[in-house]
Structure formats: C-alpha cells, structure tokens
Amino acid sequence: MSGGEEALKDDGNELGRLLRFWRSRLDCRRIVGVDTQRRRLKPGVTQEELAKLAEVSLNWYRALEGGRKHKFSESMLQRLAMTLRLEESERIMLFKLSVGHAPPPRRLAAGISVDDNMRALLDLVLPNPACIFAMDWTVVARNKAYESWFPWVLLEPNIMRWCFLNSDAREQLVDWHEWAATFLAQLRVAIAQNPDSVELRKLKEEILGGCNEARKIWAENRSQVHPDGDIRRFRLPHHGGEVVAVTVMALAPLRNTDLNFIVLLRTPDRDASATGERPGDVS
C-alpha cells in the first residue's frame, strides 16, 4: 500500500485517518527542522518529526493519532494545528474529534478599524513587508510582501502566539531569545497600560502556559514600549534560507492608537559584515 493510500485508509478511526492525511501532504522542503536528505518511503513527515516540530511528546501524538481516549491539552492541539498548517475548518475537525468541542474562536482586540486608506498605505511601502496589528498582536491587515516572508500569518494571525508556540519561529527569528525577550517586555507594558483587557491576559496565560522559556524570560521583569528603530534579523525559509536584516519602523494611526503599523526596512547586516558573511548567506 502506498503512503497516500495508507493516509486515506478508513479503519474506523476518523481522527487518525485525517492526521495521517495531514501529515502526508506536508512538504518537507518547506518545513524548518526536517531532514530533507533522508530517504522517505511515504510522503510528508513521520510521527516522530511531527511530534518534535509541535513540541509534544511522541507518546502524546501516537495516542492522538491512534484514537485512544485521553485528556488532550487545548494548547497542544493549537500547536499541532499550526504545525500541520490546518485551515480553520480542519482545526475545528481536529478539536471536535479529539476533545469533543470546537476550538475557541480566534480573538481580535476590540475597536479594530482598518479603512481603505490604511490598507492602501500597506501597498505603497512595497516591496517592504508591512502589516497592521491590533493591541493583542493579531495581524488584521498586511501586504503581499509580508505574506511572502511570513506565510504562517494565513494560519495563525497572532504574532505572539506564533513566536512562542510554533517551532518554525525559532528558526525564522534569528537570535530567537532576544526576539522573545523583546516581545514579552512589550506585552508586560501593554498589560500595565490596559489592565482590563481580557485578550492580553489570555495571551499571557497561553504563552507562559505553553512555553517553558517564556516563563523564564518573564521572570526577568523587562519592559519595553515599542520596537521602533530596532534592528532585527530574519531567516526566510521560503526563500532559500536567506538571512536579512531589517530596521523595524513602528507607527500608530492617530485615530486609533490601539493599532500598530509596522514596516520592515531592509538594512545593511552589520553582523554579517563583521563575520565576512555575504548578504543572503545562511548563518
């Protein structure tokens, strides 16, 4: 039996069948952290590879795919959905078949208003990636360059959740620990400024509950208002692993200061120059 036929085999375990199918359609060449040189008898990724990428134990994942009754953590199911690149209807199926109910709806901060002029401004800054995100770091608008650099936004629109709960972020965000520390420092300030925000409190709970490193960084008690002017580096896995340095330009529309307009401007990579690395080399 071929790998594709096995993924579609109906053995009475609907969830297991779907998980095998979702694993089989993943393109290993487009997933950071998967060995693309190994010989594969089946398409997609193995159970072991998927468990590692989703940061769940292999026993946990095997129990899920095997259809065994278990109290599956919703935060782990969310990470699994992101790792499998599930669309919203598929994410609902994953939750319904594993824990018996639909996942919590994707939350957007209150007061979101992105008009046509603001959306047009995103395109005016092309070819630079740009996005608009709400108070809780949910991307509510972006241009095509942003989608090309960060295709995960089509599946997980929240920048913070992606950073801390998706293993791809650790490869794409060069010096992930510094990125994480900056994000949490901004989250601390946002919560202090908006103590009644349910979205921000829930975001903090999800991040600290789902990421051990986040709990350690949070205990450092750092604070930062915004990233404007920061120079950061990205590795672009969908562009041959190119490493680029950018200056983060952070703006806010005066009529809705709960929104953030972010533009990533390419800038000379001083780290690459110091090491003799050519722009675009993979570090």
Side-chain angles (χ1 to χ4, degrees):
M1 181 180 292
S2 70
E5 290 173 340
E6 182 177 340
L8 295 173
K9 181 178 65 175
D10 187 358
D11 57 2
N13 175 12
E14 176 71 3
L15 178 58
R17 183 183 66 81
L18 287 171
L19 285 167
R20 291 194 298 272
F21 170 69
W22 292 332
R23 281 198 294 114
S24 73
R25 73 182 182 184
L26 289 177
D27 185 349
C28 298
R29 297 167 300 178
R30 297 176 67 86
I31 301 177
V32 176
V34 172
D35 182 2
T36 58
Q37 302 302 314
R38 62 175 290 181
R39 181 171 178 268
R40 294 179 181 273
L41 301 177
K42 302 175 184 178
V45 301
T46 66
Q47 290 183 335
E48 291 84 355
E49 288 170 333
L50 183 61
K52 181 178 179 181
L53 290 168
E55 298 184 345
V56 300
S57 73
L58 180 56
N59 287 338
W60 183 94
Y61 180 75
R62 282 178 171 165
L64 183 69
E65 189 170 299
R68 295 194 291 274
K69 297 296 183 181
H70 188 72
K71 189 175 181 180
F72 296 107
S73 163
E74 290 192 6
S75 63
M76 290 183 175
L77 290 173
Q78 294 279 28
R79 288 207 299 273
L80 185 62
M82 284 192 286
T83 305
L84 286 166
R85 279 67 168 163
L86 299 187
E87 296 181 359
E88 182 62 15
S89 59
E90 295 171 331
R91 189 173 75 104
I92 291 172
M93 289 289 290
L94 172 64
F95 270 74
K96 291 284 285 185
L97 292 173
S98 58
V99 293
H101 59 79
R106 298 193 187 280
R107 293 172 299 279
L108 296 178
I112 294 175
S113 177
V114 181
D115 60 29
D116 291 341
N117 289 332
M118 292 174 65
R119 294 181 186 276
L121 189 58
L122 290 170
D123 291 332
L124 287 176
V125 300
L126 286 170
N128 298 294
C131 74
I132 299 171
F133 63 81
M135 180 178 61
D136 69 343
W137 282 269
T138 297
V139 174
V140 294
R142 70 266 175 181
N143 62 19
K144 291 296 184 182
Y146 191 91
E147 291 181 6
S148 177
W149 279 31
F150 312 111
W152 51 264
V153 74
L154 302 174
L155 302 171
E156 173 49 75
N158 189 279
I159 297 171
M160 287 271 193
R161 290 192 189 94
W162 173 75
C163 174
F164 291 98
L165 304 179
N166 191 315
S167 60
D168 284 359
R170 297 170 187 269
E171 180 67 18
Q172 188 164 6
L173 302 178
V174 177
D175 192 4
W176 177 87
H177 189 278
E178 183 57 31
W179 275 98
T182 299
F183 275 144
L184 290 179
Q186 294 174 62
L187 178 59
R188 185 185 299 277
V189 171
I191 291 173
Q193 293 175 331
N194 304 275
D196 297 327
S197 172
V198 175
E199 293 88 357
L200 290 176
R201 289 202 305 272
K202 182 63 176 177
L203 183 62
K204 173 191 170 185
E205 292 171 3
E206 290 183 8
I207 290 172
L208 300 188
C211 180
N212 292 330
E213 294 96 326
R215 291 194 291 274
K216 296 175 183 177
I217 296 171
W218 186 263
E220 296 173 3
N221 294 312
R222 290 178 53 174
S223 60
Q224 181 172 331
V225 176
H226 56 69
D228 187 42
D230 285 359
I231 296 178
R232 291 281 182 263
R233 301 174 78 210
F234 296 96
R235 181 175 289 106
L236 306 181
H238 296 270
H239 297 264
E242 178 186 5
V243 173
V244 298
V246 301
T247 298
V248 180
M249 302 298 294
L251 315 168
L254 291 179
R255 62 179 174 273
N256 190 346
T257 55
D258 285 341
L259 294 178
N260 291 272
F261 192 111
I262 300 294
V263 182
L264 304 178
L265 297 178
R266 284 199 185 228
T267 191
D269 192 341
R270 292 177 297 186
D271 289 344
S273 300
T275 60
E277 183 181 321
R278 296 190 309 276
D281 283 351
V282 178
S283 62

